[in-house]
Amino acid sequence: MLVTVYLAIIILLALCAGLEITARRLTPPQPAPTAVANPSFRHFQTLFLRAYLLALWSDWLQGPYLYKLYRHYSFLESQIAIIYVCGLASCILFAPVAGWLPQALGRRHTCLLFCVAYSACCLTKLSRDYFVLIIGRVLGGLSTSLLSTTFEAWYVHRHVDVRDFPKEWIPSTFNKAASWNHGLAVGAGLVANLLADWLHLGPVAPFLLAVPCLGACGWVVLTDWGREEAEGSLEGDKQTLLGAPNVPLTHMSARTRFWRSCQEGLRCLLSDRRVMILGGVQALFESVLYIFVFLWTPVLDPHGPPLGIVFSCLMAASMAGSLLYCLATSTHYRLQPGHLLCLAVLMAFFSFFMLTFSTAPGQPRPHESLLAFLLLELACGLYFPAVSFLQARVIPEEKRAGVLAWFRLPLHLLACLGLLALHGEVSGTGGGEGGSGTRHMFGGCAVMMLAALLAVVSLFTMGRNDTDLRLEGGRGEGE
């Protein structure tokens, strides 16, 4: 497995480089966007990315060795499953709070709260006490919810409402963040492996490294973002003197706005069948990813691969999928995002189908399992940009936050139920490499992917001539 994993990372990184070069060759040269030539915007964009990328880097550092750390502390797989369930349950509980806190405390202060909470989560990994580790996962659930909403909320608010930049410039910032995100994920696996295995510092080392990174993120938010907000306040005072309204948002109005957003999101979800089906696809696909995140380590770790390098392989496969999506939807190939979404779900189904055989009790085939995991991550690289495109088309922008909050509810519930079912199986059978619980769970994930595939097919059968679900000028139009 050692040679296989190192060979896989070399091949995957070469594949990503080849796809990037091919995409640039096939993309016709375009004039530089106005945003690139605007020094004020570039300074503001750098200010945001400096903190946001530090937050993402800290998050990725904790991925490769989380399960390994709990096993290092001699907890059983069933006990670890409960810790993961507590983390997912906290995501459900804190999802509404994460949407309300930026309006109540302020966006910048909520970002600082993220840094403090995630640092505390990392420090709990020093303890071998089961209850302390559960508290750490609860704090991790809060932090994950804040990371997925708060930084973006701060940026969009400053971009549109304070800086008054065009809305069309927003995607350039998040596209740049997404590009860096893949590289950070691959690098985090390599650094985590360096600390835990090569330097023999143990599986807790990556979590300890994340703490100063979060501290640096908090310092940028406290100082640089603070100066940015102070400058914006001066501008607001000037506008007030000139007669422009500048009414502060109270805590009560923040709560009212949040619940109104949830109500409008639910109304949109129930009134548009396309939104309902898309939410079902997201809940099915992304809930099995949480189960995969729990299971990949116990499936491969008994065979001695370097877990940090395996994690980098998985992230490189996801990067390759994202690059394939960009290439497939380019003007040269013009494939539709809906078709790529179908392909992603189909690939995920085959991945879990393979895993039901490669994890047979007493007959593990780790090389096939690794191949299936890489196929699943490749599918993820296709899935996320495709589903984001469709959500942007069918969900009105002003209702999107509320609708996506409702999407996440069944997503986390399904993942919790899956892990609880696994907990019951491994408690009764011994679990791990020799038990049948893992195999049964992968079989259940394959069934869920088949249901998601049927939902995607029904979505595009229902909206075959729906221009909202298609790229303009895509292949198949007018034929």
Side-chain angles (χ1 to χ4, degrees), residues 13 41 51 107 139 157 168 182 215 232 237 253 321 401 403-404 447 465:
L13 291 177
F41 172 75
R107 298 168 184 85
L139 288 172
H157 169 68
E168 293 76 15
H182 283 114
D237 293 341
S253 63
V403 172
L404 294 181
V447 172
N465 299 317

Side-chain angles (χ1 to χ4, degrees), residues 52 148 152 171 174-175 178 181-182 274-275 278-279 281-283 285-286 289 322 325-326 329 336-342 344-345 379-397 400-401 403-404 407-408 411 456 459-460 468-471:
Y52 186 49
S148 63
E152 182 177 338
F174 291 110
N175 288 339
N181 193 31
H182 283 114
R274 300 175 306 171
V275 178
L278 197 58
V281 172
Q282 181 176 353
F285 192 98
E286 297 183 25
L289 293 184
S322 180
Y325 176 86
C326 295
T329 54
Q336 292 296 334
H339 300 153
L340 297 173
L341 180 61
C342 287
V345 176
C380 290
L382 290 170
Y383 164 83
F384 282 106
V387 81
S388 296
F389 171 86
L390 296 172
Q391 287 174 351
R393 287 301 186 93
V394 302
I395 306 174
E397 184 178 353
R400 196 168 302 151
V403 172
L404 294 181
F407 281 4
R408 285 189 288 269
L411 187 163
V456 174
L459 175 65
F460 292 101
D468 286 342
L469 303 179
R470 305 180 66 85
L471 282 171

Side-chain angles (χ1 to χ4, degrees), residues 3 45 68 116 130 134 146 156 165 198 222 234 247 267 305 333 363 370 411 426-427 452 462:
V3 176
Q45 185 183 67
K68 179 75 171 181
V116 173
Y130 191 66
I134 286 180
L146 293 177
V156 172
F165 292 130
W198 296 344
L222 185 65
L234 290 176
V247 181
R267 195 175 298 115
Y333 292 105
Q363 297 176 327
L370 176 62
L411 187 163
V426 299
S427 296
M462 178 183 66

Side-chain angles (χ1 to χ4, degrees), residues 186-214:
V186 174
L190 298 175
V191 171
N193 196 83
L194 170 69
L195 295 173
D197 291 342
W198 296 344
L199 297 180
H200 306 290
L201 297 178
V204 75
F207 298 92
L208 298 182
L209 178 61
V211 175
C213 296
L214 288 165

Side-chain angles (χ1 to χ4, degrees), residues 18 66 100 136 170 256 280 295 315 341 401 444 449 453 456 459-460:
L66 181 60
W100 171 73
I170 293 178
T256 302
L295 287 175
M315 296 301 101
L341 180 61
M449 285 299 93
L453 182 61
V456 174
L459 175 65
F460 292 101

Side-chain angles (χ1 to χ4, degrees), residues 314-462:
L314 298 174
M315 296 301 101
S318 179
M319 183 193 303
S322 180
L323 291 169
L324 278 173
Y325 176 86
C326 295
L327 195 61
T329 54
S330 66
T331 54
H332 186 79
Y333 292 105
R334 298 185 303 166
L335 294 180
Q336 292 296 334
H339 300 153
L340 297 173
L341 180 61
C342 287
L343 177 61
V345 176
L346 185 62
M347 289 168 61
F349 166 75
F350 277 115
S351 172
F352 287 113
F353 186 72
M354 288 171 60
L355 286 163
T356 59
F357 293 97
S358 64
T359 57
Q363 297 176 327
R365 296 194 285 273
H367 293 84
E368 294 180 17
S369 295
L370 176 62
L371 179 61
F373 289 147
L374 293 176
L375 180 64
L376 178 60
E377 284 293 341
L378 187 68
C380 290
L382 290 170
Y383 164 83
F384 282 106
V387 81
S388 296
F389 171 86
L390 296 172
Q391 287 174 351
R393 287 301 186 93
V394 302
I395 306 174
E397 184 178 353
E398 65 276 7
K399 300 178 181 178
R400 196 168 302 151
V403 172
L404 294 181
W406 287 107
F407 281 4
R408 285 189 288 269
L409 182 61
L411 187 163
H412 289 114
L413 285 175
L414 284 172
C416 285
L417 290 174
L419 289 175
L420 286 172
L422 180 64
H423 165 261
E425 291 245 18
V426 299
S427 296
T429 64
E433 184 186 354
S436 61
T438 298
R439 188 187 189 193
H440 290 165
M441 185 55 58
F442 284 135
C445 290
V447 172
M448 292 172 69
M449 285 299 93
L450 188 58
L453 182 61
L454 294 175
V456 174
V457 171
S458 69
L459 175 65
F460 292 101
T461 301
M462 178 183 66

